[in-house]
Amino acid sequence: TDKIKDADSDIRFDLSDLNAANLLSFKAFRNRMEQLYLTRLMQIAKGSRKEACRLSRISRTHLFELLKKYAIS
């Protein structure tokens, strides 16, 4: 899990400029965060789904569903 904790510093968001005109729905924001997280997770795991499961503590089935949902290989 140290690898994934170290990766947290790679993703930063400045939300101070959000306003009613450009605010994403919570669902859209969550989906984008999932996609970014999974993309970075697979980079850290060097494409190994087994390692990605171990690092993220996501079940194999759930990880595969998420990777399919976001078309991440």
Side-chain angles (χ1 to χ4, degrees), residues 15-73:
L15 302 177
S16 62
D17 64 344
L18 287 179
N19 57 49
N22 66 4
L23 185 64
L24 292 174
S25 71
F26 179 76
K27 184 176 181 178
F29 182 80
R30 186 184 65 213
N31 287 343
R32 183 67 179 131
M33 293 303 95
E34 280 183 349
Q35 185 179 27
L36 289 170
Y37 176 84
L38 292 166
T39 300
R40 185 67 180 123
L41 175 64
M42 294 307 293
Q43 290 171 346
I44 292 167
K46 297 182 173 117
S48 168
R49 292 178 176 193
K50 182 177 181 178
E51 179 68 1
C53 289
R54 187 187 72 75
L55 289 170
S56 64
R57 296 183 220 132
I58 297 173
S59 73
R60 181 180 166 169
T61 303
H62 188 60
L63 178 65
F64 285 18
E65 289 170 353
L66 290 171
L67 293 174
K68 183 177 178 180
K69 175 181 177 180
Y70 296 110
I72 299 170
S73 53

Side-chain angles (χ1 to χ4, degrees), residues 5-19:
K5 286 180 184 172
D6 292 342
D8 290 342
S9 62
D10 292 346
I11 300 174
R12 291 186 174 83
F13 294 95
D14 180 6
L15 302 177
S16 62
D17 64 344
L18 287 179
N19 57 49

